[in-house]
Amino acid sequence: MRTRRLLVPDMAFMIGAVQRQEPRVDIFWLLRVDKESVLPQMRLYKLSALLPDRLIGKITMNYGDWEYKDVPNLTGSLTNRALMRFNDACRTLSQGRVIISDRLHGHIISTLLGIPHIMLDNQYGKTKNYHKEWTWKLENVDTATTHAAA
């Protein structure tokens, strides 16, 4: 007996469009700090060095990664925990007018929030391949191969 396999997009897209909060900075960098990161030690002072001279002092930026330790009361049902994490992710990404991220769910949730964003790839091509398969037609997303190109 053969098992039928289907390629399907991430089920987070079933949530649909989500209302975002007001942005606080021009660019929010959601960057991995784990083994999948292409550049694990990138910090804001290094990121600001990527700006062209004409934009220094005119563009506000912040950076971070998912931080679940700050989500209160991670007890309860899986549905409640997932909802708390999703809402935390929405708050995190809503910080920026534009998002630059090397996280797949940074891309997916930015899409749900309608936030223009740039996707960087991770260590093994997951974000690039997902975009190539499912989201390449979206108008509010672009890709870059390096942090400097983003």
Side-chain angles (χ1 to χ4, degrees), residues 7-20:
L7 182 64
V8 297
D10 191 289
M11 67 186 266
F13 277 111
M14 296 303 293
I15 295 169
V18 177
Q19 182 68 38
R20 72 170 294 178

Side-chain angles (χ1 to χ4, degrees), residues 106-147:
H107 161 59
I108 292 170
I109 296 171
S110 291
T111 299
L112 297 177
L113 290 164
I115 301 173
H117 58 285
I118 299 171
M119 292 178 64
L120 297 165
D121 211 358
N122 70 340
Q123 190 71 9
Y124 56 92
K126 177 171 65 176
T127 57
K128 177 183 74 175
N129 289 330
Y130 188 90
H131 177 65
K132 192 166 83 173
E133 187 66 36
W134 298 109
T135 58
W136 59 274
K137 288 185 180 181
L138 295 177
E139 293 183 12
N140 69 342
V141 63
D142 204 350
T143 59
T145 55
T146 67
H147 293 77

Side-chain angles (χ1 to χ4, degrees), residues 43-130:
R43 295 292 178 252
L44 188 59
Y45 69 90
K46 292 180 183 177
L47 294 171
S48 50
L50 301 175
L51 286 176
D53 289 341
R54 63 184 166 72
L55 296 179
I56 293 176
K58 296 178 181 173
I59 299 288
T60 57
M61 295 193 299
N62 198 2
Y63 72 96
D65 194 7
W66 302 133
E67 293 189 26
Y68 299 122
K69 66 180 185 281
D70 295 333
V71 179
N73 189 13
L74 280 183
T75 60
S77 73
L78 287 176
T79 301
N80 287 341
R81 288 186 286 176
L83 184 59
M84 287 190 311
R85 285 187 173 197
F86 177 75
N87 288 336
D88 185 56
C90 289
R91 278 190 298 278
T92 297
L93 291 171
S94 287
Q95 291 181 59
R97 291 185 203 296
V98 173
I99 304 300
I100 301 173
S101 180
D102 58 0
R103 286 196 163 273
L104 176 60
H105 284 89
H107 161 59
I108 292 170
I109 296 171
S110 291
T111 299
L112 297 177
L113 290 164
I115 301 173
H117 58 285
I118 299 171
M119 292 178 64
L120 297 165
D121 211 358
N122 70 340
Q123 190 71 9
Y124 56 92
K126 177 171 65 176
T127 57
K128 177 183 74 175
N129 289 330
Y130 188 90

